Amino acid sequence: MSFLRFWILVAVLASASLRAESPAEQAVLTAIKSPDLAVVHLWAPWCSNCQAELKNGGWTKVVKENPNVKFYFVAIWNDGQDGRSMLKKFNIVDQPNVTILADPGPRRGENKIKQFAGLQLSCIPTTWIYKDGDLRYALNYGEVRFPVLQQFLEDSQSEWSHKGEPKLEE
């Protein structure tokens, strides 16, 4: 009987290791637990939508205008390359509130990652906003509209409640 339990344990451990978190994912999971506001941006330099976000200057402006927000640019589906050279062209690399990471890849076709930090991932660019370990906003399908992102950042930092507001009558 104990022999059977041993093999069950081995099988469980082996299956758990199939979905081991990459160093980039581990770094993000640690960072989002912080009380700081954190933006996780999943992108790839070859992606035309990701390029459009950079070309219009939106990311550069948002990063510079929000020095207290931590930004994590995570290159995915990019054969382990972090895209630093492209981010450098847009003055994002040297900002003190930016961390650049890369999923190790290669992950193409059926082997590419389909989740990151516990969330489903099906499209890039994808942008998530966290505070105190809680996901505040998820922009999962395509280019960010930067005025909307700025509003989400402001909303995520505000302390609000419904105390004192009139109740709805039933």
Side-chain angles (χ1 to χ4, degrees):
M1 185 72 145
S2 63
F3 184 72
L4 178 61
R5 287 183 184 157
F6 170 77
W7 284 110
I8 291 172
L9 178 63
V10 168
V12 168
L13 291 175
S15 66
S17 68
L18 292 176
R19 178 59 186 112
E21 293 148 351
S22 71
E25 193 170 4
Q26 290 172 3
V28 166
L29 287 168
T30 299
I32 62 177
K33 293 176 185 172
S34 164
D36 296 326
L37 194 58
V39 174
V40 177
H41 182 62
L42 304 170
W43 75 292
W46 52 261
C47 168
S48 60
N49 289 342
C50 299
Q51 292 171 11
E53 288 182 335
L54 291 167
K55 287 176 188 173
N56 75 20
W59 277 114
T60 304
K61 182 178 180 187
V62 166
V63 166
K64 288 182 178 181
E65 289 181 353
N66 295 280
N68 296 326
V69 176
K70 307 293 186 205
F71 291 87
Y72 298 86
F73 284 78
V74 184
I76 62 164
W77 303 337
N78 197 42
D79 296 328
Q81 303 299 309
D82 63 12
R84 183 176 301 270
S85 62
M86 182 174 286
L87 295 175
K88 189 169 183 70
K89 291 179 189 176
F90 296 96
N91 300 313
I92 292 174
V93 170
D94 297 324
Q95 299 303 314
N97 56 337
V98 171
T99 300
I100 299 169
L101 302 163
D103 179 72
R107 301 205 177 159
R108 298 174 189 265
E110 290 300 312
N111 293 327
K112 70 182 183 180
I113 61 171
K114 294 179 179 77
Q115 72 172 24
F116 188 90
L119 295 177
Q120 181 178 347
L121 176 61
S122 60
C123 179
I124 55 173
T126 289
T127 305
W128 300 322
I129 301 171
Y130 290 88
K131 182 165 182 177
D132 293 321
D134 294 325
L135 179 64
R136 299 294 175 99
Y137 294 98
L139 306 165
N140 290 329
Y141 301 106
E143 294 177 46
V144 167
R145 300 188 64 79
F146 290 98
V148 173
L149 178 61
Q150 185 61 45
Q151 185 64 55
F152 286 165
L153 293 174
E154 291 169 15
D155 291 348
S156 295
Q157 294 181 64
S158 67
E159 299 294 329
W160 59 269
S161 76
H162 295 287
K163 291 180 183 175
E165 291 182 9
K167 296 186 181 215
L168 291 176
E169 294 183 28
E170 294 179 25

